[in-house]
Amino acid sequence: MKIKALKDGFKAELENVAADKSISHRFAIFALLSDKTSTAKNYLLAEDTLNTLKIIENLGAKVERNGSEVCISPSARIKEPTCILECGNSGTAMRLMIGFLAGIAGFFVLSGDKYLNKRPMKRICEPLREIGAKIMGREDANFAPICIEGQKLKNFNYISEISSAQVKTAMILAGFRADKISYFKESFLSRNHSENMLSFMEAPLKIKQTSLEISPLKKPLKPLNITIPNDPSSAFYFILAALILPNSQICIKNVLLNPTRIEAYKVLEKMGANISYKFDEKNFEQIGTIYASSSKLQAIEVSENIPWLIDEAPALAIAFALANGTSVLKNAKELRVKESDRIKAMITNLQKCGIEAEELEDGFKITGGTPKSTLIESFGDHRIAMSFAILGLVCSMEIDDCSCIATSFPNFIALLENLGAQIDY
């Protein structure tokens, strides 16, 4: 895909950026904890989240779709599937399903594409095995395909060494199937969508900052009836575009504004970005509108609240490459085990663009400059491809293998074209 530089900037108002992926996955999986039909409007119709719907259908749920409205009616009991449960490119789907299925009678096999099956699963499988889960896979269940033979689980008191919403959610789902009350603690609050949604369903969950008390399920949860907000990680690309192009303004509506999801926006503000917010009435999550306009960005060092901006780190690297001065991101080693090694992917590609950039073990150092047009490699990672597509609006860019974008943001290219971008395939 070739993207030509957009010289004149743009003015836009968007309402249809991708629905939130994290909440869409969780809606589908959590619907199985009820005995009544759950409904979500604005469900993300991307490859990853559609795969999750197929998974729960193979577990016995009835799924009805009317455009982006999804209704899920769970079966009386989880059905043992006759096929492999395909997670595609989604680490969230695989890791959450491992926790969900570990305590349910039956035999289950989870697999994904060539990229997902290289991503580590030990962080999920190891603590689950310690409480009685029977999980098998390549390299001692560190890599998929993952086989699960559901067992009765013991309660736990688990302190997580990493702040991961996926680990947390997997342990919550396992705790619901344990024999007694379980406890979970993380050092830094990771994304808290699971706690918010499960509390909305009246789950037996007590929350105290970074600590959770999880009681076994004694009855089905209340069903969900929600409208899924737009994904702030997806909106971030278009906010960034407005900041780095001259004479540009943008307004994006119905965006999830959970504090654990907008840290990257706060970093941009500290860099001098013109960004403001309008907060709407809070439901199960805080939702609102984000405004941004052309800005001169200054270098920054970022080393705190990293779990809250980990998905936006590749796009932040583009902001660093166009800022005045040298910017540094630290304490982000988690970027090494995403859909690609995102530290290596961003630095390799920025260097191809003529930007002074250095890999750190846990992040990167980037000196702002004038990028040049080149061919970059996506590494099969949607966030790498989208980040360099935004840079392409500044200096033109050719990106290999952009099919990965469909895993999370199927209308990304169409929205770019609506802003005036010229794209050749």
Side-chain angles (χ1 to χ4, degrees):
M1 180 176 74
K2 295 181 180 179
I3 300 173
K4 294 182 180 179
L6 188 59
K7 300 296 185 184
D8 298 327
F10 63 88
K11 290 180 172 59
E13 181 177 296
L14 302 180
E15 294 188 47
N16 61 334
V17 298
D20 192 78
K21 186 169 69 163
S22 296
I23 292 177
S24 294
H25 280 305
R26 284 162 172 78
F27 166 78
I29 296 169
F30 294 171
L32 301 181
L33 299 173
S34 181
D35 59 352
K36 296 181 173 62
T37 299
S38 290
T39 302
K41 296 179 181 179
N42 198 38
Y43 186 89
L44 176 62
L45 302 180
E47 290 177 2
D48 280 354
T49 46
L50 291 175
N51 281 332
T52 301
L53 293 181
K54 291 177 185 176
I55 288 172
I56 67 168
E57 282 185 305
N58 285 321
L59 295 175
K62 180 182 178 182
V63 177
E64 296 179 286
R65 284 175 47 197
N66 181 12
S68 63
E69 182 173 325
V70 174
C71 297
I72 299 173
S73 300
S75 58
R77 59 183 296 275
I78 299 299
K79 182 179 77 173
E80 188 175 53
T82 58
C83 60
I84 293 173
L85 302 175
E86 294 287 352
C87 301
N89 190 244
S90 177
T92 298
M94 181 171 285
R95 288 170 176 148
L96 269 56
M97 289 307 307
I98 292 171
F100 178 82
L101 296 170
I104 292 175
F107 182 77
F108 313 92
V109 181
L110 296 162
S111 190
D113 65 15
K114 64 181 181 180
Y115 300 106
L116 179 57
N117 285 2
K118 293 179 182 178
R119 296 179 64 184
M121 296 295 146
K122 190 174 182 180
R123 61 179 59 184
I124 302 290
C125 296
E126 192 171 68
L128 290 173
R129 282 169 149 185
E130 291 176 359
I131 61 172
K134 189 173 182 180
I135 303 173
M136 296 153 283
R138 294 185 301 118
E139 294 191 21
D140 199 25
N142 192 30
F143 299 106
I146 296 290
C147 302
I148 302 165
E149 189 175 336
Q151 305 289 315
K152 291 184 178 179
L153 302 178
K154 299 177 290 185
N155 67 316
F156 55 85
N157 189 346
Y158 184 69
I159 300 175
S160 180
E161 295 181 358
I162 59 173
S163 293
S164 165
Q166 295 173 354
V167 172
K168 176 170 58 178
T169 306
M171 296 306 291
I172 291 171
L173 294 171
F176 287 157
R177 307 291 177 183
D179 55 355
K180 298 176 184 176
I181 293 175
S182 298
Y183 300 90
F184 177 91
K185 182 175 177 58
E186 55 187 351
S187 58
F188 181 87
L189 180 66
S190 60
R191 292 182 181 182
N192 60 353
H193 304 312
S194 293
E195 298 98 301
N196 291 343
M197 295 175 73
L198 290 167
S199 296
F200 203 63
M201 299 175 76
E202 299 184 359
L205 189 66
K206 294 182 180 179
I207 305 163
K208 187 176 181 181
Q209 297 177 333
T210 58
S211 299
L212 301 173
E213 180 181 296
I214 310 152
S215 295
L217 284 184
K218 295 184 178 179
K219 62 179 182 179
L221 302 185
K222 286 180 59 179
L224 285 164
N225 187 357
I226 61 175
T227 297
I228 298 175
N230 288 323
D231 192 323
S233 300
S234 297
F236 192 80
Y237 298 101
F238 293 93
I239 295 295
L240 177 61
L243 298 177
I244 63 178
L245 289 171
N247 306 313
S248 296
Q249 295 178 2
I250 197 166
C251 160
I252 305 181
K253 297 182 177 181
N254 189 39
V255 182
L256 174 67
L257 297 179
N258 181 310
T260 68
R261 293 294 301 280
I262 59 171
E263 183 67 18
Y265 292 87
K266 300 300 181 182
V267 171
L268 289 178
E269 289 182 68
K270 292 175 183 176
M271 295 176 71
N274 298 317
I275 299 177
S276 60
Y277 313 86
K278 177 186 175 185
F279 292 88
D280 299 331
E281 184 177 352
K282 185 175 181 180
N283 193 345
F284 72 103
E285 288 280 6
Q286 181 67 65
I287 299 168
T289 302
I290 305 178
Y291 304 87
S293 59
S294 305
S295 305
K296 292 183 178 180
L297 300 179
Q298 301 297 319
I300 192 172
E301 181 166 323
V302 182
S303 59
E304 297 180 344
N305 298 340
I306 301 302
W308 293 1
L309 56 77
I310 200 74
D311 280 349
E312 294 81 15
L316 273 177
I318 300 300
F320 291 177
L322 297 171
N324 179 31
T326 299
S327 297
V328 180
L329 176 72
K330 296 180 178 178
N331 299 327
K333 197 171 184 178
E334 184 73 6
L335 288 170
R336 298 280 190 189
V337 293
K338 290 292 186 178
E339 282 83 339
S340 68
D341 179 342
R342 287 180 175 163
I343 294 174
K344 184 176 184 62
M346 289 305 300
I347 297 310
T348 298
N349 285 319
L350 284 173
Q351 288 173 346
K352 287 183 181 180
C353 295
I355 295 295
E356 185 180 335
E358 177 186 348
E359 272 191 57
L360 306 177
E361 181 183 1
D362 61 347
F364 41 69
K365 180 187 292 187
I366 299 169
T367 300
T370 302
K372 66 180 182 181
S373 178
T374 189
L375 169 65
I376 71 101
E377 183 179 353
S378 72
F379 296 91
D381 189 328
H382 57 129
R383 299 205 186 276
I384 303 300
M386 290 188 287
S387 296
F388 280 94
I390 298 303
L391 184 58
L393 299 177
V394 173
C395 62
S396 299
M397 197 67 61
E398 184 175 357
I399 307 167
D400 81 328
D401 187 11
C402 289
S403 60
C404 53
I405 292 173
T407 64
S408 67
F409 201 162
N411 63 327
F412 175 78
I413 302 300
L415 289 176
L416 277 184
E417 291 177 324
N418 289 344
L419 298 182
Q422 295 183 45
I423 301 175
D424 296 326
Y425 302 94

